[in-house]
């Protein structure tokens, strides 16, 4: 069942996935804080990406570059000049809009989405980078920018990584971290925020292999979302029109997700050519090339970049997993999250708070904690606790009841089927491990 945005925003706040930031002060400009469940899930999204992009490959290494770095990076990369969105003001209500997001009305004119006026200013380029000052003086010589993408860290460290990792093209550098953009119109919950997290790979290839690797990464990245549970019908790969391409790109395709308001980008896969390495080489005077000792060839690699948003992707996983059904005549909400993404994989629940059950439940908890992220909850009727775990996507519940004291076994309940089976405590770790595929 497709969720609507209100369902997800409500659940995210009520259960502790995502809170509006600075809520006690009335909130702050489309910023969000990730609560106890959200922080687990976001970490799981990033770990799933890291596992697939770094751990399970021999040709990719990781990097964690500084967020605040030399402004010369952004001059050389073209971001100071080109990282802009076209901004228009409504002269009637003073609201600001991204011109490329406004749909012309049937009369052909652009209308302000708030007041419907057609009295809009000409579009002007608005740079999306957040500017600040590094050091005690607020003057231009100390100007610095928060990175608007994690990429560039990869390029300026190209020689460092090449030398220390002993990789050769085709090889990649992966990075996950915060990026900042002063978006004109943030919105749709965490789809577009000014502070967000990205997961980016820069994959360096011989120039004549760029087309092949571009196709490879488009397929590979599309399947990553499918493998983690997004139905194929909610995903598509959309090649960019020529006029949409970024200043560095020779070709881009987006992995798009069917959001409640329509298709939206989760990830862009771009052929950045040798644009960045050449630009940094020219600006810094350092050679950023690969020298193939066997053939004697020296060349600037091309770069294929799959660039995904972690926070936006987490929201897509929530939307795709949201479902409602009926159990024993009662309606329930269930997040059918892949166990690798669920905030908790297991909930340990003593049937009652009686002194006799709690120590056994805590013993079971201690057995399971090393292999799974576990919740522990001893209050309320068991049925309500199951509903709560269903609603936050916990794949397995382990219940300790009075029989457990006699038979040294627990009840294992499956989130999706709600089927319950009895498992001896000394087999519970193996059983949970095999069910989670861990
Ligand atoms: P859009 O067209 O939506 O502004 P973009 O094409 O500028 O996105 P990229 O520069 O390709 O985005 O960034 C790669 C990924 O980073 C995007 O696919 C998206 O998942 C994520 N991302 C970009 N901007 C934001 C944002 N403001 N908030 C949340 N995620 C973002």
């Amino acid at each position: 069942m497709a969720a609507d945005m209100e369902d997800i925003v409500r659940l995210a706040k009520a259960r502790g996935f995502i809170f509006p930031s600075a809520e006690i002060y009335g909130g702050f400009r489309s910023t969000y804080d990730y609560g106890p469940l959200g922080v687990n899930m976001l970490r799981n999204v990033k770990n799933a990406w890291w596992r697939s992009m770094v751990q399970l490959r021999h040709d990719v290494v990781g990097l964690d570059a500084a967020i605040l770095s030399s402004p010369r990076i952004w001059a050389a990369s073209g971001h100071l000049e080109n990282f802009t969105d076209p901004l228009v003001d409504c002269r009637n209500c003073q609201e600001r809009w991204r011109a490329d997001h406004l749909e012309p009305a049937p009369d052909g004119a652009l209308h302000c989405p708030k007041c419907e006026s057609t009295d809009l200013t000409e579009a002007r380029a608005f740079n999306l980078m957040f500017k600040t000052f590094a050091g005690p003086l607020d003057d231009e010589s100390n100007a610095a920018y928060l990175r608007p993408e994690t990429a560039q860290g990869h390029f300026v460290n190209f020689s460092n990584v090449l030398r220390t990792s002993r990789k050769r093209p085709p090889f990649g550098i992966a990075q996950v971290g915060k990026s900042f953009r002063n978006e004109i119109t943030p919105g749709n919950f965490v789809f577009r925020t000014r502070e967000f997290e990205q997961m980016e790979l820069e994959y360096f290839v011989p120039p004549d292999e760029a087309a092949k690797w571009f196709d490879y990464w488009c397929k590979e990245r599309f399947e990553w979302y499918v493998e983690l549970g997004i139905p194929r019908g909610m995903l598509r790969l959309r090649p960019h029109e020529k006029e949409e391409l970024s200043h560095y790109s020779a070709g881009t395709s987006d992995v798009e997700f069917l959001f409640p308001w329509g298709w939206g980008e989760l990830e862009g896969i771009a052929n950045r050519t040798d644009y960045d390495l050449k630009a940094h080489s020219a600006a810094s005077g350092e050679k950023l090339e690969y020298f193939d000792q066997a053939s004697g060839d020296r060349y600037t690699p091309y770069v294929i970049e799959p660039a995904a948003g972690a926070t936006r992707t987490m929201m897509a996983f929530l939307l795709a997993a949201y479902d409602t059904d009926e159990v024993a005549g009662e309606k329930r909400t269930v997040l059918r999250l892949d166990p690798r993404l669920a905030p908790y994989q297991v909930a340990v629940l003593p049937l009652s708070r009686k002194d006799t059950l709690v120590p056994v439940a805590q013993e079971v908890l201690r057995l399971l904690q090393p292999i799974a992220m576990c919740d522990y909850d001893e209050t309320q009727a068991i049925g309500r606790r199951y509903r709560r775990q269903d609603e936050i996507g916990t794949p397995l519940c382990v219940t300790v009841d009075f029989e457990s004291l006699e038979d040294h076994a627990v009840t294992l309940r499956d989130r999706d089927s709600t089927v319950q089976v009895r498992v001896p405590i000394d087999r519970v770790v193996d059983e949970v491990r095999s069910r989670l595929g861990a």
Side-chain angles (χ1 to χ4, degrees), residues 179-418:
S179 295
F180 302 83
R181 296 182 188 177
N182 197 4
E183 299 279 2
I184 299 165
T185 44
N188 282 330
F189 199 34
V190 297
F191 179 82
R192 189 179 304 287
T193 48
R194 297 198 169 98
E195 172 178 346
F196 56 97
E197 284 204 72
Q198 290 187 306
M199 311 183 286
E200 297 192 294
L201 173 72
E202 306 304 325
Y203 197 72
F204 301 92
V205 301
D208 60 354
E209 293 180 16
K212 177 181 98 180
W213 286 109
F214 178 76
D215 289 344
Y216 168 87
W217 281 111
C218 285
K219 290 197 189 83
E220 193 76 5
R221 293 303 307 147
F222 189 93
E223 291 303 321
W224 183 79
Y225 296 93
V226 174
E227 211 259 317
L228 284 168
I230 299 188
R232 280 181 195 279
M234 296 183 89
L235 290 168
R236 72 175 186 190
L237 195 66
R238 187 184 67 83
H240 275 209
E241 304 290 339
K242 237 194 158 72
E243 51 283 4
E244 266 184 278
L245 293 175
S246 315
H247 61 276
Y248 49 72
S249 175
T252 297
S253 283
D254 289 344
V255 178
E256 294 189 337
F257 175 77
L258 191 53
F259 287 95
W261 62 88
W263 292 100
E265 173 183 338
L266 292 180
E267 166 160 0
I269 298 122
N271 176 355
R272 291 182 82 126
T273 68
D274 53 7
Y275 178 90
D276 302 272
L277 288 180
K278 283 212 164 130
H280 286 301
S281 196
S284 67
E286 294 287 324
K287 275 208 171 71
L288 300 174
E289 295 172 335
Y290 175 68
F291 176 63
D292 187 339
Q293 283 186 330
S295 67
D297 279 353
R298 181 182 292 284
Y299 65 90
T300 306
Y302 268 37
V303 174
I304 307 302
E305 175 198 69
T311 39
R312 191 181 280 187
T313 293
M314 172 176 150
M315 180 170 125
F317 281 125
L318 283 174
L319 282 160
Y322 187 94
D323 198 8
T324 53
D325 63 2
E326 241 181 54
V327 174
E330 222 186 278
K331 202 176 152 204
R332 73 163 176 163
T333 301
V334 53
L335 279 187
R336 300 192 190 277
L337 286 171
D338 185 286
R340 290 167 290 180
L341 301 178
Y344 293 116
Q345 278 90 50
V346 182
V348 177
L349 312 170
L351 189 64
S352 96
R353 282 162 104 175
K354 289 259 159 47
D355 294 349
T356 43
L357 293 190
V358 168
V360 181
Q362 293 195 348
E363 184 51 36
V364 171
L365 180 67
R366 272 191 293 276
L367 289 174
L368 291 171
Q369 276 170 328
I371 63 152
M373 186 62 81
C374 297
D375 194 9
Y376 177 77
D377 186 3
E378 51 183 43
T379 54
Q380 289 188 328
I382 193 69
R384 291 187 66 174
R385 280 184 276 166
Y386 284 152
R387 292 297 168 275
R388 180 175 185 279
Q389 295 299 333
D390 292 342
E391 200 180 7
I392 65 173
T394 310
L396 296 172
C397 287
V398 173
T399 307
V400 175
D401 55 23
F402 292 101
E403 253 183 86
S404 306
L405 302 176
E406 310 295 322
D407 66 358
H408 304 286
V410 288
T411 299
L412 198 64
R413 174 187 178 273
D414 178 84
R415 172 195 71 199
D416 294 332
S417 64
T418 74

Side-chain angles (χ1 to χ4, degrees), residues 59-99:
D59 56 348
V60 177
V61 291
L63 178 76
D64 192 2
I67 289 175
L68 204 56
S69 189
S70 169
R72 291 181 62 195
I73 292 178
W74 307 111
S77 69
H79 282 77
L80 271 179
E81 197 179 335
N82 297 316
F83 198 61
T84 58
D85 277 340
L87 174 125
V88 291
D89 290 302
C90 172
R91 291 199 183 89
N92 183 44
C93 71
Q94 274 70 51
E95 202 67 45
R96 298 190 144 176
W97 305 102
R98 249 177 88 166

